[in-house]
Amino acid sequence: MSYELVGITVLWTFLFGYLIVASVDFGAGFFSYYSVITGHENKVHSIIQRYLSPVWEVTNVFLIFFVVGLVGFFPDSAYYYGTALLIPGSLVTVLLALRGAYYAYNTYGSSKEDNKIYMAIYGATGLLIPAALSTILAISEGGIITEVNNKVHLNWGSFFSNPYTWSVIILALVSVLYISAMFLTYYADKAGDRAAFEVLRGYALWWSGPTILACVFAFFQINRQNPEHFSNMLGIAWVFILSLICYLVAVYLVWKRRNLGWTFILVMLQFGFAWYGYGHSHLPYILYKQVSIHESFTNETMAVALITVFIAGLFVLIPSLIILLRLFLFDAKYVRGSSPKKG
Amino acid sequence: MSYDPVTLSRILTGLTLFVHIVFASLGVGVPLMIALAEWRGIQTQDPHYSLLARRWARGFVISVAVGVVTGTSIGLQLSLLWPTFMRVAGHAIALPLFMETFAFFIEAIFLGIYLYTWDRFKRPMLHLLLLIPVAIGSSASAFFITTLNAFMNTPQGFTLKNGVFTDVHPLIAMFNPATPTKVSHVLASSYTVSACLLAGIAAYSLLMGRKEAYFKKALKLTVMSAFIFALSTAIIGDFSGKFLAKYQPEKLAAAEWHFETRREAPLVFGGVLDENNKVKYGLEIPYALSILAGNKPDTKVIGLNEFPEDERPPLFIHYMFDLKVTIGILLVLIPFLYMVRRLLPGNRHGGYPKWLLLGILLLGPLAVVAIELGWLFAEFGRQPWIVRGYMKVGEAATTSNNVGSMLLLFALLYIVLCGSCVIVLARLFRSKDVVDEMRELGIEGGTVK
């Protein structure tokens, strides 16, 4: 495997990590708020808080890691995306900032439980951020960022009038809610909290339908936006079929209330197959026809250094993540809420 | 000054860093202070110290949140506002940026664990050990990101060919001449500002008439730490002066209004410049600049006239430098007075005179101002370069016409974030009084021993 392929695979994997953990986080914020305003609060709220509190900061790092890695491995992408995405990028930053800060304020700083305003900010940004971030996928298909006389522009007209833009936004919204509900169903089951489990299972089943519809819709919109990419995707159609099978089995298991640990693994596989299939067929371009992984790759010394550091970093990162998961996800006492919450 | 994208990008980056630096410094320094308190608590079996650690940690999370989100802002703004810089210099600086995110990862993971595992381990030492990766992670982030800033001041480890950085040696770029002094100065000043702010909180409680032993212990621990850290910051600051004289003489010359290259150069404090660049009303200390630059009165100090006019830093950095150094002296002096308070006239019993407590209360704000001034001085002192000697700031900024509105957006965001952070912190400490909490935890300590 060439260095540039290693680089993009590493980055794509981290973006996938972000997709999963951030979806859980964003969706949980929304459900948490939704449960407060609909009165399901006492059933699901505490279980959501118990999961989110120790991990919210880690979620943020996944995104930073991807952005830094992308401009590190492929400096040209900083030039094109950076110039064109000033406004949407800044808006996402502001939303992320509000979300992170108010989450901490609510969890650690608020004297009374669950400040409604903080929670509303938290819930709303949970849907706005994935919507905004997902549009970059639409932009990466080409035709929206143009370069005239050495000046990079984002063509807002073709950005908003593009059905593909809207299809990825819809896909992002529903899949965030779906992934999150699936995870929380599993978490509630693990905690042995039947009431929360039933509510969350309802959410998971409810959002499974729109998710698959949005997937299919987005799939065919790629054909209109970028036929070359679409035909690449058809070439590896089996990946997407596997994804569909994982989806069907996962929904079936939740329906039957069985093997919930496997369910969430299947959800990850479902998105994993689709994600890597999409990414693989997008290559060699990071931005269609403008930034390819071959031409805009960093120098070889830096690539070797980055990959070395990455491997060394994993030796520290993976055990640390395992400790985190063991303490808060797989520790029955903590999950049930019988160990002390915070200092 | 025209408000073109370059100027606006500079203002927005400056604003983000202005906010981030305070919270980032606390992120580096406070874990060390918490560890110190918890360690004392375990060593001396004194629950007051453990409670101190707990209460600091509670407030610390709030400041970490703001630090994380402003850090995210600057991380993204690097590419959004300086795309050309990232495209070109990215070839040489990607490594420390990348390593910084790993350090950040470790810090984030273990901080989450630390906060949720009080009383979860049978041996309290295990809980304390969790702070080690937090402190290492935050200090390592500071280290990596500062090497990048150091690179921009004294770039090396590459060749510039047709606008592209080639023949890159990432480690040589990282360990450039500015790295040792910059990194150590940043770390020491982060520890200082954290100790100073926490000392200020303890002094505030005593000023409000609290008499419990808890506050006196807090004061002692923090002020002693502040003294040690401030003193080391000052010593490293002196090394930084010598570094500047050797590698970035135009920065030192602009800071000192030193125009003619000469030996036995005097140091000017304060004053104003007239139109012929002559210093008026300044306090002149003979030989001091030569001693600062090379430890000997006859060290030759390069003057600003050696540099073309369009490569000189702005001359107002003189005031930043003077003010920063003055505050640095105060930060050593006030804790020193605390330590020798028994020797002061009329204070045989070692009590806390009101003026001394007021001085300690001021340590926090003073240290914050010093950190800001230090960075402003370092950054303005590098103008007009973004990578000294290779790329000017004007060539690196975005060409987008929307920077102005983004500047307003972020200014609003930071006002809201900082305002609410202060409110939340104040409410946090008011809502649960120390004495109530001690009673809850069954710790003795409502009275003076």
Side-chain angles (χ1 to χ4, degrees):
Chain A
M1 208 149 77
S2 62
Y3 288 137
E4 52 260 51
L5 211 54
V6 173
I8 196 72
T9 309
V10 162
L11 294 174
W12 200 240
T13 304
F14 264 80
L15 203 53
F16 179 65
Y18 183 69
L19 174 97
I20 298 292
V21 293
S23 291
V24 173
D25 187 320
F26 291 139
F30 180 78
F31 288 135
S32 186
Y33 178 62
Y34 183 75
S35 69
V36 169
I37 56 171
T38 54
H40 282 300
E41 176 176 3
N42 37 14
K43 284 194 196 149
V44 300
H45 184 65
S46 66
I47 206 151
I48 292 176
Q49 285 299 326
R50 211 150 47 230
Y51 164 74
L52 281 183
S53 307
V55 301
W56 69 272
E57 205 188 337
V58 179
T59 308
N60 228 356
V61 193
F62 273 93
L63 179 67
I64 297 288
F65 191 96
F66 172 75
V67 174
V68 167
L70 183 70
V71 299
F73 278 107
F74 307 101
D76 277 359
S77 52
Y79 177 69
Y80 286 97
Y81 282 119
T83 312
L85 295 180
L86 176 67
I87 293 178
S90 299
L91 287 176
V92 169
T93 314
V94 169
L95 290 172
L96 279 171
L98 287 175
R99 181 181 171 80
Y102 282 91
Y103 177 71
Y105 293 170
N106 187 39
T107 315
Y108 306 98
S110 187
S111 43
K112 56 176 190 294
E113 284 280 299
D114 306 325
N115 184 316
K116 284 265 163 62
I117 301 169
Y118 292 175
M119 292 209 63
I121 292 176
Y122 198 61
T125 50
L127 293 185
L128 288 171
I129 296 168
L133 283 176
S134 63
T135 56
I136 294 171
L137 289 181
I139 291 172
S140 77
E141 296 293 338
I144 295 171
I145 293 179
T146 50
E147 193 178 16
V148 187
N149 301 331
N150 281 326
K151 271 191 100 173
V152 175
H153 293 280
L154 181 73
N155 191 336
W156 288 101
S158 58
F159 176 71
F160 281 115
S161 65
N162 188 347
Y164 184 58
T165 307
W166 296 103
S167 72
V168 290
I169 290 177
I170 295 167
L171 178 59
L173 287 181
V174 293
S175 53
V176 157
L177 295 173
Y178 168 73
I179 294 174
S180 185
M182 285 298 233
F183 174 79
L184 292 168
T185 308
Y186 155 67
Y187 198 66
D189 178 61
K190 208 167 157 55
D193 188 340
R194 296 325 293 174
F197 173 76
E198 288 303 327
V199 174
L200 292 164
R201 173 177 170 270
Y203 294 161
L205 290 175
W206 169 256
W207 287 108
S208 63
T211 300
I212 203 70
L213 287 179
C215 282
V216 173
F217 181 59
F219 188 72
F220 287 105
Q221 286 302 326
I222 292 177
N223 190 22
R224 285 183 45 174
Q225 173 76 13
N226 186 339
E228 192 183 329
H229 185 190
F230 186 73
S231 71
N232 285 344
M233 282 170 80
L234 288 185
I236 47 166
W238 59 273
V239 175
F240 299 97
I241 293 167
L242 273 178
S243 169
L244 182 67
I245 293 171
C246 292
Y247 163 81
L248 292 172
V249 179
V251 173
Y252 175 77
L253 288 176
V254 169
W255 178 257
K256 287 280 173 195
R257 298 187 174 81
R258 271 178 24 205
N259 300 32
L260 292 153
W262 279 103
T263 318
F264 192 67
I265 291 174
L266 283 167
V267 170
M268 287 204 282
L269 285 175
Q270 173 202 339
F271 280 89
F273 281 124
W275 184 249
Y276 284 96
Y278 171 87
H280 181 263
S281 51
H282 201 286
L283 290 180
Y285 296 105
I286 293 175
L287 174 61
Y288 240 82
K289 301 293 183 198
Q290 277 162 319
V291 184
S292 93
I293 62 165
H294 302 300
E295 284 149 33
S296 61
F297 196 55
T298 186
N299 60 80
E300 200 180 305
T301 339
M302 184 55 89
V304 174
L306 289 179
I307 292 169
T308 314
V309 163
F310 176 75
I311 292 168
L314 283 186
F315 277 103
V316 189
L317 190 59
I318 289 174
S320 310
L321 280 172
I322 289 174
I323 295 178
L324 186 73
L325 291 178
R326 284 189 54 144
L327 282 171
F328 299 111
L329 207 51
F330 301 119
D331 184 283
K333 225 170 113 195
Y334 176 81
V335 175
R336 279 198 304 273
S338 41
S339 57
K341 255 177 76 185
K342 59 187 178 192
Chain B
M1 191 159 68
S2 61
Y3 291 96
D4 53 313
V6 180
T7 312
L8 290 167
S9 295
R10 283 181 63 193
I11 299 174
L12 178 49
T13 310
L15 179 69
T16 303
L17 284 171
F18 189 83
V19 178
H20 180 62
I21 281 160
V22 178
F23 293 99
S25 304
L26 292 178
V28 173
V30 175
L32 190 72
M33 294 303 297
I34 297 175
L36 212 57
E38 209 186 338
W39 181 72
R40 286 275 295 166
I42 294 170
Q43 283 285 307
T44 59
Q45 294 289 318
D46 183 341
H48 284 168
Y49 286 109
S50 312
L51 182 62
L52 196 59
R54 232 174 214 228
R55 289 177 66 92
W56 283 347
R58 223 177 277 151
F60 177 59
V61 202
I62 305 291
S63 78
V64 165
V66 185
V68 169
V69 298
T70 50
T72 310
S73 295
I74 193 65
L76 298 175
Q77 278 174 0
L78 265 185
S79 298
L80 294 174
L81 295 174
W82 308 98
T84 314
F85 166 69
M86 289 307 285
R87 181 189 212 176
V88 177
H91 286 274
I93 58 169
L95 184 67
L97 265 179
F98 199 57
M99 287 164 98
E100 199 261 355
T101 56
F102 269 109
F104 183 26
F105 243 128
I106 302 303
E107 182 196 349
I109 289 172
F110 282 92
L111 184 64
I113 297 177
Y114 179 80
L115 290 171
Y116 283 83
T117 48
W118 291 95
D119 305 328
R120 214 168 138 180
F121 300 111
K122 284 202 187 71
R123 288 172 52 208
M125 205 59 190
L126 277 178
H127 185 246
L128 173 59
L129 288 178
L130 288 171
L131 264 184
I132 294 175
V134 177
I136 291 179
S138 57
S139 297
S141 309
F143 170 80
F144 292 126
I145 213 68
T146 311
T147 64
L148 200 159
N149 183 274
F151 170 85
M152 290 158 83
N153 281 280
T154 50
Q156 64 174 28
F158 64 92
T159 336
L160 192 66
K161 219 180 261 170
N162 308 324
V164 183
F165 281 20
T166 51
D167 193 20
V168 175
H169 304 276
L171 288 175
I172 294 178
M174 252 177 88
F175 294 96
N176 58 72
T179 297
T181 43
K182 253 195 197 293
V183 168
S184 47
H185 201 60
V186 162
L187 288 177
S189 57
S190 298
Y191 300 143
T192 310
V193 75
S194 305
C196 285
L197 273 169
L198 295 173
I201 295 173
Y204 176 78
S205 302
L206 287 166
L207 270 173
M208 291 287 112
R210 308 294 299 261
K211 298 225 167 7
E212 290 85 0
Y214 172 87
F215 298 104
K216 294 181 180 170
K217 288 174 190 168
L219 190 73
K220 188 174 176 192
L221 181 69
T222 50
V223 178
M224 300 293 262
S225 316
F227 176 76
I228 294 167
F229 295 141
L231 191 63
S232 24
T233 312
I235 294 169
I236 298 162
D238 181 59
F239 291 138
S240 305
K242 293 174 184 26
F243 154 78
L244 285 182
K246 195 167 173 198
Y247 291 97
Q248 252 181 319
E250 77 277 18
K251 197 189 253 184
L252 186 68
E256 290 302 336
W257 289 348
H258 178 69
F259 294 93
E260 299 293 335
T261 302
R262 58 174 282 197
R263 293 175 191 281
E264 301 177 357
L267 188 142
V268 182
F269 184 87
V272 285
L273 274 183
D274 68 7
E275 59 274 20
N276 301 319
N277 283 342
K278 285 276 171 291
V279 185
K280 276 191 203 160
Y281 316 118
L283 177 68
E284 200 168 289
I285 310 166
Y287 308 118
L289 184 58
S290 285
I291 294 171
L292 176 72
N295 276 345
K296 279 191 298 250
D298 69 335
T299 307
K300 185 152 116 192
V301 184
I302 296 170
L304 209 49
N305 291 346
E306 311 282 325
F307 297 89
E309 288 221 15
D310 63 340
E311 288 179 14
R312 290 183 197 170
L315 292 172
F316 62 75
I317 62 171
H318 174 68
Y319 297 113
M320 295 171 175
F321 186 78
D322 282 0
L323 202 54
K324 164 179 110 140
V325 172
T326 313
I327 294 177
I329 294 168
L330 282 176
L331 293 183
V332 178
L333 193 65
I334 296 172
F336 181 73
L337 286 175
Y338 165 88
M339 286 157 66
V340 298
R341 66 185 184 282
R342 276 167 216 281
L343 304 175
L344 299 172
N347 196 32
R348 285 274 176 75
H349 305 291
Y352 309 105
K354 201 170 175 198
W355 60 266
L356 183 61
L357 288 176
L358 275 173
I360 296 172
L361 179 64
L362 269 181
L363 284 180
L366 281 176
V368 170
V369 172
I371 288 236
E372 295 289 7
L373 285 171
W375 274 111
L376 286 169
F377 163 70
E379 296 309 296
F380 276 112
R382 175 162 48 93
Q383 299 302 320
W385 301 105
I386 190 162
V387 182
R388 181 180 175 268
Y390 291 95
M391 188 188 231
K392 288 199 173 164
V393 172
E395 305 161 28
T398 180
T399 46
S400 171
N401 294 322
N402 302 347
V403 188
S405 38
M406 293 303 110
L407 174 60
L408 287 179
L409 180 73
F410 276 100
L412 201 67
L413 172 74
Y414 298 142
I415 291 170
V416 171
L417 278 184
C418 295
S420 51
C421 177
V422 171
I423 295 171
V424 168
L425 276 177
R427 205 194 297 146
L428 185 72
F429 285 101
R430 221 171 287 146
S431 71
K432 210 173 190 182
D433 190 77
V434 183
V435 177
D436 297 340
E437 200 172 351
M438 283 197 249
R439 209 169 294 137
E440 246 172 64
L441 293 169
I443 301 171
E444 204 180 320
T447 49
V448 191
K449 278 176 193 166

